[in-house]
Amino acid sequence: MNNITMDNISSDHANIKKTHLHFESSNTSFQQSASKICLRERSLTDALSWAHYQNENDHVYYRNEKQHTLSLYLTGGYQTHRTDIHSRFGAPGKFCLMPKDSESHWQLGQMQQFMHLYFNDDYLKQLALKVFDIDPRMLQLPELNFTTDVATEALFRHCMTTSDWQSKDNHLAMEQVTNTILVSMIQNMGITKIIAPIKGGLSPKVTSLVCDYMQANFHRQIYLSELAELGQLSEYHFCRMFKQSLAQTPQAYLLSIRIEQVKLRLHNKLESISDAALHCGFSNQSHMGRYFKKLVGISPRQYRDVISN
């Protein structure tokens, strides 16, 4: 009998390549630019990263293999444009959205600074589902070149540019602002598209039933056969349809529930970290800690210290 355990989750994540800030290619890549300077960078979680760059008078090839990139020109950019397509010129306040697997060539002009937000596709889809109840299959990111959005720009400038990226105390605040930026992008940049008809996935009734069941039983071992039976599907088809509907596997969904429960218990300060781990379905504190840092970006102890301040 198959079961959803932390061992299953471990093997599931082991097949995912580690996310990097840098996108290397055999051609002249952005990261190989002779004049580019990385002023600061910060990885919040496996799904979210930031980088702040400065560059001038350069020709770069950008290959986006691992994550989506939302880029804002902070200063300069007036002489910067794409050379692989007909393109307008950049300027302060201009955004570029470069979806995963996109490629582009750029001619950069005089001194400019720009900030990149890197984010995973599944993370964005899960956020859209949680905040707007948008079906993940309706979320499609277009290439955007030198577009504007006042609300999203304000979040970049007033929250991210002024933040101390190296301070662990700012970690949760930076993650919250990052999510707000992504929500603003979804609202204002026209990245949802109705696909008719939408096929596959679990029905809303089955999705609700399965999610409620996992929420109620997260503290114990849950068998995959239990969930598949709720949906009246084979285990194989249930897993495929669950991923289509929720942009994550059943294992990852269960892990996220358990981590959120650990965070809640740390907020309430009713028990030790080790007790919280055991009460939330983990085999021990160390086991929980590895996944907590992967999803939250800091250790459970650091998280407890931050929320206590």
Side-chain angles (χ1 to χ4, degrees):
M1 180 180 291
N2 292 326
N3 60 333
I4 297 177
T5 67
M6 302 316 295
D7 289 336
N8 294 131
I9 294 172
S10 178
S11 61
D12 179 64
H13 281 277
N15 293 325
I16 301 176
K17 293 182 179 180
K18 184 179 179 181
T19 296
H20 297 280
L21 281 174
H22 305 311
F23 301 102
E24 299 295 341
S25 74
S26 57
N27 299 287
T28 302
S29 74
F30 180 79
Q31 297 303 330
Q32 294 168 340
S33 165
S35 59
K36 181 268 302 178
I37 299 173
C38 182
L39 301 175
R40 53 181 173 167
E41 58 184 8
R42 176 70 183 274
S43 177
L44 296 177
T45 67
D46 278 8
L48 301 173
S49 300
W50 283 91
H52 182 176
Y53 296 110
Q54 179 175 294
N55 203 355
E56 62 178 327
N57 301 322
D58 200 2
H59 183 78
V60 298
Y61 169 69
Y62 194 87
R63 186 175 180 182
N64 208 17
E65 291 184 320
K66 301 183 183 301
Q67 293 179 300
H68 305 306
T69 304
L70 180 64
S71 175
L72 173 68
Y73 283 77
L74 299 172
T75 62
Y78 298 106
Q79 300 170 327
T80 296
H81 62 101
R82 284 184 63 170
T83 60
D84 56 318
I85 61 171
H86 177 70
S87 167
R88 293 172 291 178
F89 289 86
K94 296 291 185 179
F95 281 100
C96 293
L97 178 59
M98 295 165 280
K100 180 179 178 294
D101 296 326
S102 64
E103 300 181 7
S104 51
H105 295 257
W106 303 79
Q107 179 64 52
L108 278 62
Q110 295 179 349
M111 183 72 70
Q112 57 205 265
Q113 287 192 17
F114 42 96
M115 193 177 293
H116 283 185
L117 166 58
Y118 306 104
F119 53 98
N120 285 355
D121 187 63
D122 283 348
Y123 185 90
L124 181 69
K125 290 179 177 179
Q126 292 162 26
L127 184 65
L129 178 62
K130 183 187 302 183
V131 176
F132 299 110
D133 197 27
I134 294 175
D135 189 300
R137 291 160 292 178
M138 292 175 59
L139 203 62
Q140 294 190 352
L141 267 65
E143 278 193 0
L144 297 177
N145 298 297
F146 305 127
T147 188
T148 57
D149 182 68
V150 175
T152 309
E153 181 189 357
L155 290 167
F156 266 77
R157 290 190 181 277
H158 300 307
C159 298
M160 293 308 300
T161 58
T162 59
S163 177
D164 180 1
W165 289 15
Q166 303 310 314
S167 172
K168 290 293 185 181
D169 293 338
N170 287 343
H171 181 92
L172 298 181
M174 286 182 66
E175 185 176 356
Q176 184 176 18
V177 170
T178 302
N179 284 336
T180 304
I181 287 172
L182 292 175
V183 167
S184 180
M185 182 189 73
I186 294 170
Q187 284 180 309
N188 302 325
M189 293 190 182
I191 65 173
T192 58
K193 180 179 180 181
I194 298 177
I195 304 172
I198 296 176
K199 298 180 180 180
L202 301 174
S203 70
K205 180 178 179 180
V206 171
T207 300
S208 178
L209 181 65
V210 169
C211 290
D212 287 347
Y213 187 85
M214 295 175 78
Q215 289 279 356
N217 294 279
F218 68 89
H219 57 280
R220 68 168 178 84
Q221 179 173 292
I222 299 178
Y223 292 98
L224 183 57
S225 59
E226 296 176 63
L227 305 180
E229 186 176 349
L230 289 174
Q232 297 184 339
L233 297 165
S234 70
E235 294 176 14
Y236 172 76
H237 283 97
F238 171 79
C239 287
R240 287 184 61 241
M241 292 188 176
F242 188 99
K243 178 70 184 292
Q244 289 180 26
S245 295
L246 296 172
Q248 58 188 320
T249 65
Q251 292 91 337
Y253 185 79
L254 177 59
L255 175 61
S256 67
I257 293 174
R258 289 175 172 174
I259 294 299
E260 286 302 314
Q261 288 295 323
V262 170
K263 289 165 65 176
L264 180 62
R265 288 172 180 268
L266 294 181
H267 267 283
N268 293 336
K269 303 177 183 178
L270 298 178
E271 57 193 356
S272 66
I273 295 177
S274 59
D275 285 343
L278 294 175
H279 290 156
C280 293
F282 294 92
S283 58
N284 53 55
Q285 179 179 337
S286 176
H287 207 186
M288 179 271 291
R290 291 198 298 274
Y291 293 104
F292 192 99
K293 190 165 186 177
K294 181 183 289 290
L295 292 185
V296 183
I298 53 178
S299 69
R301 193 173 303 279
Q302 289 171 325
Y303 180 85
R304 188 182 59 184
D305 292 342
V306 169
I307 63 177
S308 297
N309 293 335

